[in-house]
Amino acid sequence: RFANNMGAAGDLSFRIALLAGGCAGTTVDVALFPIDTIKTRCQAKEGFFAAGGFKGIYRGLTAAAAGSAPVAALFFSTYETVKPRIKSQIGDRPVAVQACAASAGEIMSSLVSVPTEVVKQRMQAGHFGSLREAACSIITNEGPMGFYIGYRTMLLREIPFALMQFPLWEHMKQEVSDWQGQPTSPWQGAVCGSLAGSLSAAVTNPLDMVKTRQMLGQSSGGFTTTMSQVCGEEGAPALFRGVGPRTFWMGLGGFVFFGAYEKFSSLYASFVEARCFE
């Protein structure tokens, strides 16, 4: 039985990533949803108060909650699955391995996150009053591909974000681990995640701004056209609209997300290890 249990634990990394990522993603998306709504309304073309201000800050929560677990689970399961395979190909180069694995995770998770984001942001901006209304309207007026408006821009935002956030997170954890002579605790991993998330969010805010305008249907073209429109009509500083809420959201979210991910991972690993020695 011990041998069978150890064999069954061979895919532990994948199962831990799937469950821990899903739990962590849902925790963050639900707990910090009002901050995300404020960020979206700051970036809307009509302005914060015209887009709803502080009223109805939980609009779109159903869309976010429905998509958060599968998006996070898909990202982390891809990340943890791809990472050892890349390492076997290019050797022990941590930054390159983590960056490539994170990019692969973003590409896969965006297949689910983009439709969720389109519906969520339109509800946040007051375009629709319910998830059903939003979904039916998009299908009727734009067709199935309407759910993937801004997909390429989403990747243009997510991949650079992941290229910064995950190597930073892993590097900071390694530095803390080396300094104290033992692996980082969940709360230390959470602090590292918060710092990595805040910095990455601030740097990639212009990409997020363009993505929001496209998903809200407030752009007549792709990434370059949208960025030119924003700069031409509102000035280059407009690309940083919502940077405060976004940075705060990603910093606090990074703390909760990575803390929850590491805690869930630790609990699940302990549970499986205990069963292996039964």
Side-chain angles (χ1 to χ4, degrees), residues 53-129:
F54 293 103
K55 297 178 181 179
I57 57 175
Y58 282 97
R59 286 179 192 161
L61 178 60
T62 50
S68 60
V71 167
L74 189 56
F75 173 86
F76 267 107
S77 58
T78 302
Y79 179 77
E80 296 291 355
T81 301
V82 169
K83 194 162 64 169
R85 287 168 171 74
I86 295 176
K87 185 176 180 179
S88 68
Q89 295 294 319
I90 67 175
D92 190 16
R93 299 164 60 187
V95 174
V97 169
Q98 292 150 14
C100 291
S103 297
E106 293 294 356
I107 291 170
M108 291 300 296
S109 64
S110 289
L111 295 173
V112 178
S113 65
V114 171
T116 300
E117 193 79 359
V118 169
V119 173
K120 180 198 74 175
Q121 290 204 304
R122 294 191 185 186
M123 291 178 68
Q124 287 175 324
H127 296 185
F128 304 108

Side-chain angles (χ1 to χ4, degrees), residues 45 206 209-210 213 223-241:
K45 192 172 185 178
M209 173 67 173
V210 173
R213 289 293 176 87
F223 174 79
T224 304
T225 301
T226 305
M227 181 169 282
S228 298
Q229 284 179 339
V230 172
C231 292
E233 297 172 7
E234 304 166 57
L239 292 172
F240 284 91
R241 282 172 60 174

Side-chain angles (χ1 to χ4, degrees), residues 17-27 29 63-75 112:
L18 194 67
L19 293 173
C23 292
T26 303
T27 300
D29 285 347
S68 60
V71 167
L74 189 56
F75 173 86
V112 178

Side-chain angles (χ1 to χ4, degrees), residues 28-249:
V28 171
D29 285 347
V30 173
L32 305 182
F33 188 80
I35 304 174
D36 181 38
T37 299
I38 291 171
K39 187 271 299 182
T40 296
R41 292 176 179 178
C42 284
Q43 294 178 336
K45 192 172 185 178
E46 61 268 32
F48 176 71
F49 289 104
F54 293 103
K55 297 178 181 179
I57 57 175
Y58 282 97
R59 286 179 192 161
L61 178 60
T62 50
S68 60
V71 167
L74 189 56
F75 173 86
F76 267 107
S77 58
T78 302
Y79 179 77
E80 296 291 355
T81 301
V82 169
K83 194 162 64 169
R85 287 168 171 74
I86 295 176
K87 185 176 180 179
S88 68
Q89 295 294 319
I90 67 175
D92 190 16
R93 299 164 60 187
V95 174
V97 169
Q98 292 150 14
C100 291
S103 297
E106 293 294 356
I107 291 170
M108 291 300 296
S109 64
S110 289
L111 295 173
V112 178
S113 65
V114 171
T116 300
E117 193 79 359
V118 169
V119 173
K120 180 198 74 175
Q121 290 204 304
R122 294 191 185 186
M123 291 178 68
Q124 287 175 324
H127 296 185
F128 304 108
S130 69
L131 178 61
R132 181 178 180 180
E133 180 189 356
C136 290
S137 178
I138 292 171
I139 282 286
T140 301
N141 299 319
E142 304 171 55
M145 292 310 296
F147 289 105
Y148 284 92
I149 289 176
Y151 177 78
R152 281 176 290 186
T153 303
M154 183 87 156
L155 289 180
L156 283 174
R157 183 199 72 172
E158 292 299 316
I159 291 178
F161 182 87
L163 289 175
M164 286 185 283
Q165 184 189 35
F166 280 85
L168 275 174
W169 173 55
E170 299 263 22
H171 178 71
M172 284 190 283
K173 285 203 306 174
Q174 187 61 53
E175 289 293 322
V176 172
S177 179
D178 291 344
W179 174 73
Q180 65 186 11
Q182 62 183 18
T184 54
S185 63
W187 76 266
Q188 289 173 326
V191 171
C192 292
S194 178
L195 294 173
S198 295
L199 178 60
S200 303
V203 173
T204 58
N205 195 78
L207 303 175
D208 183 65
M209 173 67 173
V210 173
K211 184 270 305 178
T212 296
R213 289 293 176 87
Q214 287 184 303
M215 289 187 170
L216 291 179
Q218 298 175 341
S219 168
S220 59
F223 174 79
T224 304
T225 301
T226 305
M227 181 169 282
S228 298
Q229 284 179 339
V230 172
C231 292
E233 297 172 7
E234 304 166 57
L239 292 172
F240 284 91
R241 282 172 60 174
V243 67
R246 174 171 162 77
T247 301
F248 178 69
W249 173 44

